[in-house]
Amino acid sequence: MGKVIMIMVDGLRYDTACMQMGYLHHLVEKNLAARFLVKTELPAVSRPMYEVLLTGTAPYVSGITSNDIVRLSKQKSIFHLAREKGLKTAAAAYYFISQLYNHVPYDIVGDREQKDEDNAIQFGKFYFDDSYPDSHLMIDGEILRSAYDPDFLLIHPMGMDYVGHLFGPDSKAYRKQAIELDRWFARFVPGWMENDYHIVITADHGMNSDGLHQGISPDERHVPLFTISSAFQPGCYREEVPQLAIAPMVCKLLNLEPAGEMSTYDISEGLERGTQNPI
C-alpha cells in the first residue's frame, strides 16, 4: 500500500500548465511522470468539482450543484474511505473542504486548525481568504505531512483562481502564478518522491478569457493531471480523461475499495501515449 499526496490546484487551465510548469514537464521528459488531459464535469465551479474529485460522483448525484449549497457531503469521500480502513487523513485546503467533509458552519477561529481523529479529515489547516498565498499553503501541507505522516494528504492552493479572476487567464499575472507554483513543486516534490509517495496533481476547473468559469468551453473544462507514481507509465497522454475517474484512481493507489457510486474508468489502463509537445 502506498501513500498519496493529491494537489488540487484551483482554477488551473490545461494549456497554462502545459506551457508554464517547466519542473513538472522536466519530470515528464525524463520519464518520471505522466501528463493527462482531463475534462471536468459541469458546472465548472469549485464546490461541485471538489465533490467530483474527492467522491467520484457527478453533481446530479451528489446534489452539490453550485457554490451556494453549503452542507456536508452525503457521499463517501476518499477521506471517509481511508479513515474507515484505519488510514490517516489530512488536508491543507480552502474552507469549502472542511464544510464538505468535516462540519458546517465553518468557524474562522475554531476551524482554522483541526485535529480530531473522528473526523473524515483528521488533521487539517483550512484557510478562508481567497488571496491566501500558495507559498504558505504549500508549507501548511508539508507541516501536516511531517507532523502526522498521513496516508492521504490533500493540498489545495487557490492562487491561480484568485489571480485569474482579477486579471484573466491570458495575463502575465496568471502565467507568473503558474510559474511560482511550479517552483514550489520543485522544492517539495523531490523529497516526496524519495519517500515513495504517489503524487497526483490536478485542478478543479479552468477559466475563460473573461476570468470566469461555469460554462462548457474547453478553456473552462480542460485541466491537467500529472501523476508521479510507479503505477503509471510516464509520458504525455492526449486522450481526454473524465474527471470522475480521479477519485477511484486515488482509491486504487491507497488500496481502498472505491465507493459504490464511483466511476469504474481506470486511468492506468487503455490509454496510448501521444506526443510530448506542450499542448
Side-chain angles (χ1 to χ4, degrees), residues 92-93 127 132-142 155-157:
Y127 63 98
Y132 190 70
D134 288 353
S135 56
H136 292 40
L137 189 278
M138 291 294 295
I139 292 170
D140 286 345
E142 182 62 10
I155 300 176
H156 174 212

Side-chain angles (χ1 to χ4, degrees), residues 1-226:
M1 180 185 71
K3 296 182 179 182
V4 174
I5 296 174
M6 179 176 178
I7 302 176
M8 181 172 67
V9 183
D10 214 287
L12 175 61
R13 281 171 42 152
Y14 176 77
D15 57 353
T16 302
C18 289
M19 295 300 295
Q20 305 301 329
M21 292 186 152
Y23 171 70
L24 291 182
H25 282 88
H26 164 68
L27 297 179
V28 174
E29 285 188 352
K30 299 306 178 185
N31 291 316
L32 295 170
R35 190 195 77 197
F36 302 87
L37 167 62
V38 172
K39 185 176 183 180
T40 73
E41 289 293 300
L42 292 172
V45 290
S46 292
R47 198 184 297 257
M49 298 304 96
Y50 301 164
E51 183 80 334
V52 169
L53 285 165
L54 293 165
T55 73
T57 55
Y60 82 92
V61 175
S62 71
I64 304 295
T65 54
S66 80
N67 286 342
D68 300 321
I69 298 176
V70 182
R71 62 163 171 79
L72 283 171
S73 171
K74 297 178 181 179
Q75 309 301 311
K76 278 199 173 182
S77 70
I78 301 168
F79 297 112
H80 292 90
L81 295 170
R83 191 198 61 186
E84 288 175 3
K85 291 297 183 180
L87 305 184
K88 289 184 186 178
T89 62
Y94 194 56
Y95 75 102
F96 280 16
I97 300 296
S98 177
Q99 290 176 323
L100 280 167
Y101 307 115
N102 275 1
H103 52 82
V104 288
Y106 174 85
D107 181 86
I108 61 172
V109 175
D111 290 338
R112 176 70 175 89
E113 304 245 354
Q114 299 183 31
K115 180 181 178 182
D116 186 341
E117 296 194 27
D118 290 330
N119 283 343
I121 306 172
Q122 297 165 314
F123 308 102
K125 293 179 179 288
F126 298 101
Y127 63 98
F128 54 88
D129 192 331
D130 289 20
S131 62
Y132 190 70
D134 288 353
S135 56
H136 292 40
L137 189 278
M138 291 294 295
I139 292 170
D140 286 345
E142 182 62 10
I143 289 171
L144 289 170
R145 188 195 71 84
S146 300
Y148 302 111
D149 191 27
D151 298 282
F152 177 56
L153 170 63
L154 175 70
I155 300 176
H156 174 212
M158 182 66 71
M160 296 299 307
D161 188 73
Y162 178 71
V163 170
H165 285 308
L166 284 178
F167 303 106
D170 300 322
S171 65
K172 176 181 177 180
Y174 186 81
R175 292 188 292 272
K176 183 175 184 290
Q177 191 71 26
I179 291 169
E180 288 297 309
L181 187 55
D182 188 62
R183 182 171 67 88
W184 283 99
F185 294 157
R187 179 169 184 158
F188 288 122
V189 166
W192 299 343
M193 293 172 68
E194 288 178 6
N195 284 281
D196 295 324
Y197 285 92
H198 300 289
I199 303 164
V200 175
I201 301 172
T202 191
D204 55 343
H205 57 74
M207 191 167 291
N208 67 24
S209 59
D210 295 323
L212 302 172
H213 53 86
Q214 180 157 332
I216 65 173
S217 70
D219 288 345
E220 294 162 89
R221 299 191 73 181
H222 283 174
V223 299
L225 168 64
F226 295 91

